[in-house]
Amino acid sequence: MAFVEGSHHVTLSVAHAQEDVDFHVKVLGLRFIKRTVLFDGSLPIYHLYYSNANGDPSSVVTTFPWAQAGFFGKRGTNQAREVLLSIPHDSMNYWHQRLTEHDVEVTDIERFGQRRLAFRHPSGIEYVFVGNSDDQRVGHTGHGVPQEHAIHGLHGVGVHMTTPDRMVEFASESFFSQGQLAEEGDVAALQVGNQKYGNHIEITVNRTDDQGTWRYGAGTYHHFAWNVATLENQDEVKFGIEGQGYTDISELKDRKYFKSVYVRTPSGALFELAVTHAEGGWTCDESPQELGTKFQLPEQFEDRRAEIFSQLEPISI
């Protein structure tokens, strides 16, 4: 029987590479696990990866820095919007102070009866810290973040759309939703898969913003990836989605560290069905201790290594 296990990673179109590294590594304390390039197209663009301590699926944030190429997007409705990250419930005060000390504007909000923290990536993308008391993923203790406050990984994805019923229908009939968890005002929360963490979809009814862009462009969400565990299950999930009439779905793409299929959902958000490579995942080209220290390229770009590297922004950790 087909299933979605939980989340896998999120991919964002950000602005400049160094400010992205500084934000995720030096402010949020995430582990820098991979520096490579965008596999699609011919334009050299970094693909940067950050994670919790163990690089767990459901903990990874990846980014494409587009400002150098002059590509900018527009946040709006019918688009994925919020990066929801899981932290310990008791860590809200710590993170409010740390973000403020790093000149990141942070706002206390309440959602579903619980305190959250809302802030933004330097490129404008919206982030939210969500408290979870039963999250066993191990956070990374980078740049002074203590273990008891470290980020566990993803909590889920926030999506804005004009017609939420269509997304609820897709989630329940084609994407293994466990049903609606909560509803508050214009926001409804769903859970996909059986894990207790990392697999939430929060749908915001948004009929005031203009349509957001879907192409690559700094300042926007690109896609949210779900872990479907095996290639056989990936096929079953894909065929099930297509069988419901959602035919805006890609062929299998080999991303070196995982194999992926992409589907455009009724919300406008792009979802990925990901399977970590059986040949090693993040450690197929670097040891666990070396992760993120070497510039990696897919085989088809190796003969252009010097050219590509010379065109990318220099970054330091």
Side-chain angles (χ1 to χ4, degrees), residues 161 163-175 177 179-180 188-190 201 203 246 266-267:
M161 59 184 303
T163 54
D165 291 350
R166 299 290 73 78
M167 187 59 180
V168 173
E169 181 180 75
F170 171 82
S172 61
E173 294 181 358
S174 304
F175 218 73
S177 168
Q180 187 166 302
L190 310 176
I201 303 173
I203 301 171
Y246 300 103
S267 66

Side-chain angles (χ1 to χ4, degrees), residues 46-105:
Y46 274 126
H47 195 178
L48 308 176
Y49 292 66
Y50 313 92
S51 78
N52 67 4
N54 298 321
D56 300 321
S58 80
S59 79
V60 179
V61 177
T62 89
T63 62
F64 302 129
W66 280 105
Q68 185 181 31
F71 286 21
F72 294 88
K74 179 181 180 180
R75 291 183 299 281
T77 194
N78 300 324
Q79 183 189 60
R81 285 278 293 265
E82 291 95 7
V83 180
L84 307 177
L85 297 177
S86 173
I87 64 170
H89 268 301
D90 296 335
S91 298
M92 293 291 172
N93 288 341
Y94 169 83
W95 279 106
H96 194 290
Q97 180 177 341
R98 182 178 175 90
L99 290 169
T100 301
E101 290 174 350
H102 283 83
D103 298 320
V104 176
E105 184 176 344

